[in-house]
Amino acid sequence: MGTTQLESVPEPKYWHLRTVLSEALDSEFSVGEILPNERDLAARFGVARATLRQALEQLELEGRLQRRRGVGTTVAPPRVGVALGTEQHTWPGAAGDAWQPVDCTTEVPPAAVASALETGAEEPVHTVRRSRRTHGQPVAAELLYVPQPAVPDLSAIDAPSGPARARAVLRELQRLELEGQESAVELGSARADDAKQLDRLPGSPVLVVTTRFNAEGRTTALSVATYRADTCRLTFGDSGGVEIHQGPERQAS
Amino acid sequence: MGTTQLESVPEPKYWHLRTVLSEALDSEFSVGEILPNERDLAARFGVARATLRQALEQLELEGRLQRRRGVGTTVAPPRVGVALGTEQHTWPGAAGDAWQPVDCTTEVPPAAVASALETGAEEPVHTVRRSRRTHGQPVAAELLYVPQPAVPDLSAIDAPSGPARARAVLRELQRLELEGQESAVELGSARADDAKQLDRLPGSPVLVVTTRFNAEGRTTALSVATYRADTCRLTFGDSGGVEIHQGPERQAS
DNA sequence: TAGTGGTCTAGACCACTGA
DNA sequence: CAGTGGTCTAGACCACTAG
């Protein structure tokens, strides 16, 4: 009888905490500022550390916070827009390419890659590893798979691996006429090697961009690029991108 | 002396568990199959339930599992490719549009939206809510913001809100000549209203696609579309998309 | 070495689903 | 109603960073 209907759908604590912290970040903190440590914050809000961490995880996922072990939790800068060239239709390694070759090996690719390239399951392909940086920070790691028949003229002078080999493979790619490309974006978690290259822990959320390059009537190269989901906004289309989702709560009404 | 150098970089338990479970999913389970419950699984692997849950969370993020409260954990089907029309350059609501109008109101938008539309901070805009479904499942929720001056001819006959109003706004949009559009993709977490529309819990990971439509020399519409990150793969370009990242571990070497 | 975030435990209770 | 996943607690120890 005396019980009112308020709180009929109680919000989880960590979700409420996320909202409170988010508003505090907007009004009381500036980019780069260090937050109090997790134990203090948890005590201040009267929750267990695990609950506080659940809220921080959400905010980190949304790109609002950055956490580094042994250092602390800082307010993250707005996400950086990273252009994805879906309209240019140029080969990887063309002039103005934002990527930097790191290494190149020739090995048997994962099964899914082999089937996309329509190569044999046990057939080695050139595997170029590249890195993309913005403002000095690594933002993406890429594996570019190129079947050997696509670049037959790799001279024996080139090293069997290393950055020089990577550049040679990319150079050979430019000879072909690019007929089209298709991309897909999905959420993933960083594998150990990508995580290291991106300066993150394994399992960190990443945006995986898979691009298939078509030439001579077949798939001639396949790129699997892994972008840091916490710091990147992938942009497409006519210009550099749209500036939304900074600032305070984006929810109207 | 007797200590060997093995395990010099001990992998976290939950990460190892994720790998083991992932391989088990590939070899011993089929799509839709129900896994043992969390308490049993944790006991079987000799870890605390929280640790087991951390591994399941990873796999759910990667689209391998689907968890439903009160029901259980099932093996998820491969992600569905969802085409994003960056190349067509057509207005929302054009023929063949995959979206379904749900509602329409006229209200003051969030600050970030107002600045992108270059409207006054307190100026109401038409706000169309739409829904996108695939195979009977909801995959995306959208808010489309249209400044009132862009569609001046909404006759007084139309209802002030509801699906009919939404269709009227979209119809008026088609009269303008679309000059270009820009999109951006980033990771976010579902707000309460979007989560409900997507049949997920608040905070679920989503891919937020922000698209700016240009006409008559200015931004004439702004779409903020929220896709379920667990079930969707966003595709761009010439064809329907690339089939990668199904099957077993995608890591070579 | 002191302080940070990352991992892990063993419990408890709650909200939801379906028989 | 029993069984599921979701939330929360109060601890412990570890890995890393920096002074």
Side-chain angles (χ1 to χ4, degrees), chain B residues 12-14 39 47-51 54 69-71:
Chain B
K13 275 190 190 178
Y14 78 90
R39 291 164 179 85
V47 299
R49 190 179 158 216
T51 305
Q54 216 173 339
R69 168 152 54 177
V71 179

Side-chain angles (χ1 to χ4, degrees), chain B residues 20-198:
Chain B
V20 171
L21 286 170
S22 179
E23 287 165 359
L25 291 180
D26 291 329
S27 60
E28 298 170 33
F29 288 87
S30 50
V31 168
E33 205 170 339
I34 304 179
L35 268 63
N37 73 56
E38 297 183 349
R39 291 164 179 85
D40 286 352
L41 272 181
R44 180 177 313 186
F45 288 103
V47 299
R49 190 179 158 216
T51 305
L52 184 270
R53 278 180 61 80
Q54 216 173 339
L56 294 183
E57 253 151 54
Q58 285 281 343
L59 291 168
E60 191 177 30
L61 203 75
E62 295 170 31
R64 308 285 314 269
L65 292 179
Q66 197 161 345
R67 296 193 285 177
R68 273 178 304 168
R69 168 152 54 177
V71 179
T73 301
T74 55
V75 180
R79 282 185 174 137
V80 51
V82 181
L84 255 58
T86 37
E87 312 247 337
Q88 289 94 312
H89 281 225
T90 59
W91 285 108
D97 191 310
W99 295 86
Q100 192 164 357
V102 171
D103 194 8
C104 177
T105 60
T106 302
E107 57 191 35
V108 177
V113 170
S115 83
L117 289 174
E118 297 168 51
T119 61
E122 300 299 331
E123 185 180 332
V125 303
H126 299 301
T127 304
V128 178
R129 182 172 275 281
R130 300 196 299 170
S131 172
R132 184 169 181 173
R133 305 178 76 88
T134 303
H135 307 126
Q137 299 299 319
V139 292
E142 181 202 42
L143 286 177
L144 180 70
Y145 302 96
V146 184
Q148 291 182 298
V151 287
D153 294 336
L154 283 180
S155 71
I157 302 177
D158 293 307
S161 68
R165 173 93 173 173
R167 281 188 290 271
V169 170
L170 294 173
R171 194 194 320 126
E172 290 299 312
L173 266 186
Q174 315 298 321
R175 299 175 185 272
L176 303 172
E177 188 189 353
L178 181 59
E179 292 160 1
Q181 68 185 56
E182 314 146 18
S183 298
V185 179
E186 61 187 311
L187 181 58
S189 53
R191 298 190 319 272
D193 54 348
D194 290 332
K196 194 168 186 180
Q197 199 171 335
L198 295 177

Side-chain angles (χ1 to χ4, degrees), chain A residues 30-34 74-77:
Chain A
S30 50
V31 169
E33 207 171 338
I34 305 180
T74 56
V75 180

Side-chain angles (χ1 to χ4, degrees), chain A residues 86-87 183 235-238, chain B residues 83-90 180-185 209-211 235-238:
Chain A
T86 37
E87 312 246 335
S183 298
T235 67
F236 302 85
D238 307 337
Chain B
L84 255 58
T86 37
E87 312 247 337
Q88 289 94 312
H89 281 225
T90 59
Q181 68 185 56
E182 314 146 18
S183 298
V185 179
V209 182
T210 311
T211 306
T235 67
F236 302 85
D238 307 337

Side-chain angles (χ1 to χ4, degrees), chain A residues 12-14 39 47-51 54 69-71:
Chain A
K13 274 190 190 179
Y14 79 90
R39 291 163 180 86
V47 300
R49 190 178 157 217
T51 305
Q54 216 173 339
R69 168 155 49 178
V71 179

Side-chain angles (χ1 to χ4, degrees), chain B residues 175-244:
Chain B
R175 299 175 185 272
L176 303 172
E177 188 189 353
L178 181 59
E179 292 160 1
Q181 68 185 56
E182 314 146 18
S183 298
V185 179
E186 61 187 311
L187 181 58
S189 53
R191 298 190 319 272
D193 54 348
D194 290 332
K196 194 168 186 180
Q197 199 171 335
L198 295 177
D199 193 23
R200 300 253 53 196
L201 292 175
S204 308
V206 291
L207 296 172
V208 181
V209 182
T210 311
T211 306
R212 187 201 291 251
F213 296 90
N214 298 315
E216 300 182 336
R218 63 194 302 281
T219 300
T220 305
L222 185 72
S223 158
V224 180
T226 298
Y227 290 81
R228 284 183 61 155
D230 57 341
T231 58
C232 291
R233 195 180 72 246
L234 309 182
T235 67
F236 302 85
D238 307 337
S239 98
V242 194
E243 295 289 335
I244 296 289

